[in-house]
Structure formats: C-alpha cells, structure tokens
Amino acid sequence: MNGIMKGALCALVCLGLAGCSSAKPADGTYTARVDEATAEAAHGWTDTLTVTFQDGKVTSADFDAFDTDGNRKSELTQEEYPMDPSPADWMPKLEENVKATADPDKVAAVAGATQSSNNAKELYRAIREAAEKGSNSKDLTVTVSKDK
C-alpha cells in the first residue's frame, strides 16, 4: 500500500509540474487592443500591442495608441499631444520592456505613462496566452477589457 501511495503521489507531482510549465509561444504575429469602453475612457485612444514570436522569443514589439482616424499617438508633436514625457519618447522604452521578458507581470512600467504601461501588460498577457495555446495565425486580434 505504501508503494502505491508513493507512486500516486509522484504521478500527481509530475502532472502538477507539467501543468505549471509554460508552453513555447507559436511563431507568428499577434495583435491585442483594449476594448471600446477603455478607449473611450482614454479620450478615444485605443492602446494596441503587436508582438512577433520567432523560435519562442519576442523578435519585435510595437505598442501605440490609435485614434478613430488611425493616427498613431507616438507620431504626434508636442503641440498636438502635450504630454510629458512625449509618447514618442516613452513608447519605444515600453516596447523594449515587453521584449525583455516572457512574463507580462515583469514588464517594467514607464514613468509618466502608468496607465499605458498597465494596458501593455494586460495586452501582452492576452497575446502570450493566445500564442502559448499554439495559434499560429498571422492575423490574430485579441480584445482585452480593462474593467478591473
């Protein structure tokens, strides 16, 4: 009986460890954007993250916010969008922070852009989950609600 219990316990531990391991993301380009309510709360700007995986690693990340006309916040001048720091300055830093980790919770926030940093983490989480499920679609879009 003792041997059976040890074997069963070992099997449960092994299954538990296997369940805890993260899967390798499928190669491809994934895009996630905040939902309409979140965009409306951000004065019409839709935070969007596009990540490309190759061999399980992030090879590129593009974070930006788009208005209803498709204009990128990062391309606006200081006069058009008076924010300090300028989106053109902090968005590339946020992209590098996404590329630096496989764990969305460990994406470093950018000072002065806390809400967008938090959105980037949530968008990255949705992308990682989709990629780790094995979807290899080159045009996957995941909508993330920020009702938290």
Side-chain angles (χ1 to χ4, degrees):
M1 185 76 170
N2 199 9
I4 294 173
M5 294 294 280
K6 285 181 183 177
L9 181 59
C10 181
L12 285 173
V13 168
C14 289
L15 286 173
L17 290 175
C20 291
S21 66
S22 68
K24 177 180 169 183
D27 288 353
T29 299
Y30 300 80
T31 299
R33 63 186 46 86
V34 297
D35 65 332
E36 287 182 34
T38 302
E40 188 167 315
H43 309 285
W45 291 99
T46 302
D47 284 347
T48 304
L49 177 65
T50 300
V51 174
T52 300
F53 294 100
Q54 183 67 44
D55 298 324
K57 298 194 184 306
V58 176
T59 58
S60 71
D62 178 39
F63 180 84
D64 216 321
F66 296 86
D67 66 13
T68 55
D69 294 327
N71 297 310
R72 288 177 167 260
K73 189 186 285 187
S74 66
E75 295 176 352
L76 298 178
T77 66
Q78 190 69 22
E79 292 77 31
E80 293 171 310
Y81 194 84
M83 178 182 182
D84 188 28
S86 166
D89 294 331
W90 62 260
M91 284 185 178
K93 292 176 188 173
L94 189 54
E95 293 166 353
E96 288 303 315
N97 295 350
V98 167
K99 288 169 52 177
T101 183
D103 183 351
D105 291 326
K106 293 185 179 176
V107 173
V110 175
T114 304
Q115 187 58 53
S116 291
S117 294
N118 290 337
N119 285 350
K121 288 180 184 183
E122 291 302 316
L123 296 171
Y124 187 37
R125 182 181 332 285
I127 287 170
R128 292 254 0 154
E129 288 173 3
E132 289 172 0
K133 287 180 182 174
S135 174
N136 62 2
S137 172
K138 300 298 181 194
D139 190 27
L140 175 68
T141 299
V142 180
T143 301
V144 177
S145 176
K146 292 294 296 157
D147 293 335
K148 296 179 183 179

